[in-house]
Amino acid sequence: MAEISLSILDRITDVSQTIFQETLQNPNIRKIGEFTTAGAVEYVVRYLKERKPDSQSMVCQFLGSPGSGKSTLTQLTNTALTNSVALSTNDYNIGTREDRRRIIVQGGTPLDENDFALLASHVDALRHLSTAENLYLPEPYDPNTGHALIKGLARKIVGPINYVLIDGNFYIGNEGVSNVPLDSLIYLHMSDRNRLYVRLIRDLTEGQMRSKNAEDVLSQFQSRRESQDKLFTLPFMNKANLIIKTEPQFLGQKIEDFTYTIYRHSVYSYSTL
């Protein structure tokens, strides 16, 4: 197991924490409370059930920067709901990890790495999927190989669907990367310092080996923050119905659990997203 020097965490400016603190100055945002993982899932499930339009599917995005805990909360929420489907923007990654790196090297942007048009069409189809009607989606993104769409559309979904939950680093709603009509937006915030430590643990000690060393992780982290987070993620924090601050609980170089602080926006409704 690679040893991680904590001094590398001091080499970044915590941009997301600054934006988070500024967002909380909005008088329409109030703190709900602090929760364990189980408590946060229970609150989010209750919140979604209360907001679900009658006789219609509900589409909710869990938005956040890489490593913020959005995938974990999305999957747990999906399991707790009935007739729910969880998707990730990563499921619509094009080609292999090397293919996507080549796109960036050749002057492309993070938007060029995903098929957002296909994602939008699948969300629309899921929203209107009738009883016993089938839809085939991409297999879930594999973090070890980096494969997604390249595996084909082999995940069979049978209607009807009550909830469509989408986790991702890119805001896909109005004025986002694909203008998907959203019924709710949940933003997962984690400080850049903690996110970098999560990335270091994930990429260097958990067997995924996405990076060669800590310097490589730091370089990728800073590059993605500039080319992706600042453009397609952070600007939409203040549009979220719920903002959830995720605090990882570390035991050495392992993530034991998370604690969640939930804030609720009293102005934005699904019709504005």
mmCIF file of all heavy atoms in Angstrom, residues 116-117 119-120 171-181:
data_model
loop_
_atom_site.group_PDB
_atom_site.id
_atom_site.type_symbol
_atom_site.label_atom_id
_atom_site.label_comp_id
_atom_site.label_asym_id
_atom_site.label_seq_id
_atom_site.Cartn_x
_atom_site.Cartn_y
_atom_site.Cartn_z
ATOM 1 N N PHE A 116 -23.623 13.198 -23.919
ATOM 2 C CA PHE A 116 -24.710 13.783 -23.137
ATOM 3 C C PHE A 116 -26.041 13.745 -23.891
ATOM 4 O O PHE A 116 -27.100 13.735 -23.269
ATOM 5 C CB PHE A 116 -24.367 15.209 -22.726
ATOM 6 C CG PHE A 116 -23.288 15.296 -21.686
ATOM 7 C CD1 PHE A 116 -22.043 15.828 -21.992
ATOM 8 C CD2 PHE A 116 -23.513 14.827 -20.400
ATOM 9 C CE1 PHE A 116 -21.052 15.906 -21.031
ATOM 10 C CE2 PHE A 116 -22.526 14.896 -19.437
ATOM 11 C CZ PHE A 116 -21.291 15.446 -19.753
ATOM 12 N N ALA A 117 -25.985 13.727 -25.210
ATOM 13 C CA ALA A 117 -27.225 13.632 -25.989
ATOM 14 C C ALA A 117 -27.905 12.283 -25.737
ATOM 15 O O ALA A 117 -29.134 12.209 -25.592
ATOM 16 C CB ALA A 117 -26.931 13.817 -27.475
ATOM 17 N N LEU A 119 -27.514 10.433 -23.032
ATOM 18 C CA LEU A 119 -28.013 10.490 -21.653
ATOM 19 C C LEU A 119 -29.365 11.191 -21.604
ATOM 20 O O LEU A 119 -30.311 10.696 -20.970
ATOM 21 C CB LEU A 119 -27.005 11.226 -20.769
ATOM 22 C CG LEU A 119 -27.479 11.610 -19.357
ATOM 23 C CD1 LEU A 119 -27.848 10.384 -18.545
ATOM 24 C CD2 LEU A 119 -26.412 12.428 -18.638
ATOM 25 N N ALA A 120 -29.490 12.342 -22.265
ATOM 26 C CA ALA A 120 -30.747 13.088 -22.259
ATOM 27 C C ALA A 120 -31.879 12.268 -22.862
ATOM 28 O O ALA A 120 -33.009 12.273 -22.349
ATOM 29 C CB ALA A 120 -30.573 14.402 -23.018
ATOM 30 N N TYR A 171 -23.508 19.556 -14.444
ATOM 31 C CA TYR A 171 -24.918 19.908 -14.300
ATOM 32 C C TYR A 171 -25.617 19.695 -15.638
ATOM 33 O O TYR A 171 -25.220 20.247 -16.673
ATOM 34 C CB TYR A 171 -25.054 21.363 -13.863
ATOM 35 C CG TYR A 171 -26.481 21.840 -13.792
ATOM 36 C CD1 TYR A 171 -27.382 21.271 -12.897
ATOM 37 C CD2 TYR A 171 -26.931 22.864 -14.626
ATOM 38 C CE1 TYR A 171 -28.694 21.712 -12.834
ATOM 39 C CE2 TYR A 171 -28.241 23.315 -14.564
ATOM 40 C CZ TYR A 171 -29.118 22.738 -13.672
ATOM 41 O OH TYR A 171 -30.423 23.173 -13.621
ATOM 42 N N ILE A 172 -26.683 18.883 -15.644
ATOM 43 C CA ILE A 172 -27.337 18.512 -16.901
ATOM 44 C C ILE A 172 -28.673 19.213 -17.095
ATOM 45 O O ILE A 172 -29.348 18.983 -18.091
ATOM 46 C CB ILE A 172 -27.548 16.986 -16.985
ATOM 47 C CG1 ILE A 172 -28.489 16.507 -15.862
ATOM 48 C CG2 ILE A 172 -26.210 16.248 -16.934
ATOM 49 C CD1 ILE A 172 -28.910 15.058 -16.006
ATOM 50 N N GLY A 173 -29.070 20.083 -16.153
ATOM 51 C CA GLY A 173 -30.370 20.739 -16.250
ATOM 52 C C GLY A 173 -30.344 21.977 -17.121
ATOM 53 O O GLY A 173 -29.464 22.150 -17.986
ATOM 54 N N ASN A 174 -31.321 22.851 -16.918
ATOM 55 C CA ASN A 174 -31.453 24.068 -17.707
ATOM 56 C C ASN A 174 -30.170 24.898 -17.637
ATOM 57 O O ASN A 174 -29.645 25.156 -16.564
ATOM 58 C CB ASN A 174 -32.632 24.882 -17.170
ATOM 59 C CG ASN A 174 -32.895 26.119 -17.996
ATOM 60 O OD1 ASN A 174 -32.728 26.129 -19.207
ATOM 61 N ND2 ASN A 174 -33.311 27.184 -17.323
ATOM 62 N N GLU A 175 -29.666 25.286 -18.796
ATOM 63 C CA GLU A 175 -28.403 26.016 -18.939
ATOM 64 C C GLU A 175 -27.198 25.143 -18.611
ATOM 65 O O GLU A 175 -26.081 25.648 -18.441
ATOM 66 C CB GLU A 175 -28.393 27.284 -18.074
ATOM 67 C CG GLU A 175 -29.476 28.288 -18.452
ATOM 68 C CD GLU A 175 -29.440 29.530 -17.589
ATOM 69 O OE1 GLU A 175 -28.637 29.576 -16.646
ATOM 70 O OE2 GLU A 175 -30.215 30.457 -17.881
ATOM 71 N N GLY A 176 -27.405 23.836 -18.509
ATOM 72 C CA GLY A 176 -26.307 22.907 -18.281
ATOM 73 C C GLY A 176 -25.837 22.277 -19.572
ATOM 74 O O GLY A 176 -26.051 22.820 -20.659
ATOM 75 N N VAL A 177 -25.239 21.089 -19.475
ATOM 76 C CA VAL A 177 -24.614 20.482 -20.645
ATOM 77 C C VAL A 177 -25.611 19.814 -21.585
ATOM 78 O O VAL A 177 -25.273 19.527 -22.740
ATOM 79 C CB VAL A 177 -23.538 19.459 -20.226
ATOM 80 C CG1 VAL A 177 -22.415 20.149 -19.464
ATOM 81 C CG2 VAL A 177 -24.128 18.320 -19.392
ATOM 82 N N SER A 178 -26.848 19.538 -21.122
ATOM 83 C CA SER A 178 -27.797 18.887 -22.029
ATOM 84 C C SER A 178 -29.245 19.312 -21.829
ATOM 85 O O SER A 178 -30.135 18.772 -22.482
ATOM 86 C CB SER A 178 -27.696 17.355 -21.890
ATOM 87 O OG SER A 178 -27.926 16.957 -20.556
ATOM 88 N N ASN A 179 -29.527 20.278 -20.942
ATOM 89 C CA ASN A 179 -30.884 20.807 -20.743
ATOM 90 C C ASN A 179 -31.919 19.732 -20.442
ATOM 91 O O ASN A 179 -33.041 19.762 -20.955
ATOM 92 C CB ASN A 179 -31.313 21.626 -21.968
ATOM 93 C CG ASN A 179 -30.555 22.941 -22.066
ATOM 94 O OD1 ASN A 179 -30.419 23.657 -21.090
ATOM 95 N ND2 ASN A 179 -30.058 23.239 -23.250
ATOM 96 N N VAL A 180 -31.542 18.768 -19.602
ATOM 97 C CA VAL A 180 -32.494 17.750 -19.162
ATOM 98 C C VAL A 180 -33.479 18.401 -18.183
ATOM 99 O O VAL A 180 -33.051 19.058 -17.230
ATOM 100 C CB VAL A 180 -31.771 16.579 -18.475
ATOM 101 C CG1 VAL A 180 -32.773 15.639 -17.809
ATOM 102 C CG2 VAL A 180 -30.912 15.819 -19.477
ATOM 103 N N PRO A 181 -34.785 18.258 -18.381
ATOM 104 C CA PRO A 181 -35.745 18.816 -17.418
ATOM 105 C C PRO A 181 -35.634 18.088 -16.080
ATOM 106 O O PRO A 181 -35.896 16.889 -15.993
ATOM 107 C CB PRO A 181 -37.104 18.559 -18.078
ATOM 108 C CG PRO A 181 -36.803 18.317 -19.522
ATOM 109 C CD PRO A 181 -35.459 17.659 -19.545
#
